[in-house]
Amino acid sequence: KEVISRLKTMRVFMGNMASPFTSWLILRSLETLKIRMEKSAKNADEIAKILNKHPKISKVHFLGLIDKLSKEYKVYKEQYSSNGGMISFDIKGGEKEAFEFLNALKLIKLAVSLGSTESLVQHPITMTHAGVDPEHRQKLNITEKMIRLSIGVENHEDIIKDIKQAFLAV
C-alpha cells in the first residue's frame, strides 16, 4: 500500500501515465522482445569480434570480450545471461577521428536514445554525457575518442559493411 501510494503521487507530479494506445503498443512489442534481444546480442558478438581486431580502434568495451580470468567476468556470469547489444569502442586519435567515422556511417544512424530495433550510434562525451562533470567522465573513461553502438536486428554483415566503409573516412 505504501509503495502504490508513492507511485500514485509520482504519477500526478510527473505526468507519466501511459495512454491506452501506448500501453497496447508496449504489450504488443513484448511478444517479440526475446527474439529481438537475442538477434541484437548475436549481431553484437559478431561485430565486437571485428572491432576488436580493427587497426583504427585502440579498445573495445563489450561484455563478450571480458577476460575470462578476471573478477569482472565472474560478476558478469553471475548477473547476465547474454552479452547484450551495446558496444563502446575507443577510436585511435580523438574527437576529429570520431566525428569523421560518425559522419561516414550510412546504415547506422546517429541518435541520443539507444535501444531501437535499428542500429544506432552516439558520441557520449558530446551527447548523453555532455553535462557530466569532466572529472567524473574521466573516471568513467568517457573520452572524446569513445563511440557507443547500439546494435540492432539488421543483417550483421550489413552493419559490419557500414562500419568498415566508415573507417575508410578516418
Side-chain angles (χ1 to χ4, degrees), residues 102-116:
L102 293 169
N103 290 333
L105 290 167
K106 295 178 180 166
L107 173 68
I108 303 170
K109 303 292 183 234
L110 190 65
V112 174
S113 176
L114 305 179
S116 178

Side-chain angles (χ1 to χ4, degrees), residues 51-159:
L51 293 174
N52 202 36
K53 296 176 184 174
H54 201 284
K56 293 189 178 178
I57 295 177
S58 59
K59 177 143 180 72
V60 177
H61 311 275
F62 180 65
L63 289 174
L65 298 175
I66 295 175
D67 179 5
K68 290 184 168 112
L69 300 175
S70 69
K71 64 181 178 180
E72 289 85 3
Y73 185 79
K74 185 177 183 233
V75 171
Y76 155 64
K77 282 310 213 181
E78 288 173 2
Q79 295 183 359
Y80 297 96
S81 60
S82 168
N83 297 326
M86 299 299 296
I87 303 171
S88 293
F89 64 89
D90 296 333
I91 195 164
K92 288 183 179 174
E95 188 174 286
K96 175 183 167 282
E97 289 77 11
F99 278 109
E100 287 172 347
F101 173 81
L102 293 169
N103 290 333
L105 290 167
K106 295 178 180 166
L107 173 68
I108 303 170
K109 303 292 183 234
L110 190 65
V112 174
S113 176
L114 305 179
S116 178
T117 55
E118 61 188 337
S119 294
L120 302 170
V121 66
Q122 66 162 255
H123 187 242
I125 202 165
T126 60
M127 296 172 77
T128 54
H129 292 73
V132 175
D133 178 63
E135 276 186 38
H136 189 62
R137 279 195 314 243
Q138 189 174 4
K139 287 179 188 175
L140 297 172
N141 292 319
I142 298 172
T143 67
E144 68 282 342
K145 60 185 174 181
M146 178 179 273
I147 294 171
R148 188 170 185 210
L149 290 167
S150 174
I151 305 301
V153 299
E154 307 94 340
N155 181 307
H156 72 273
E157 294 292 339
D158 292 339
I159 302 168

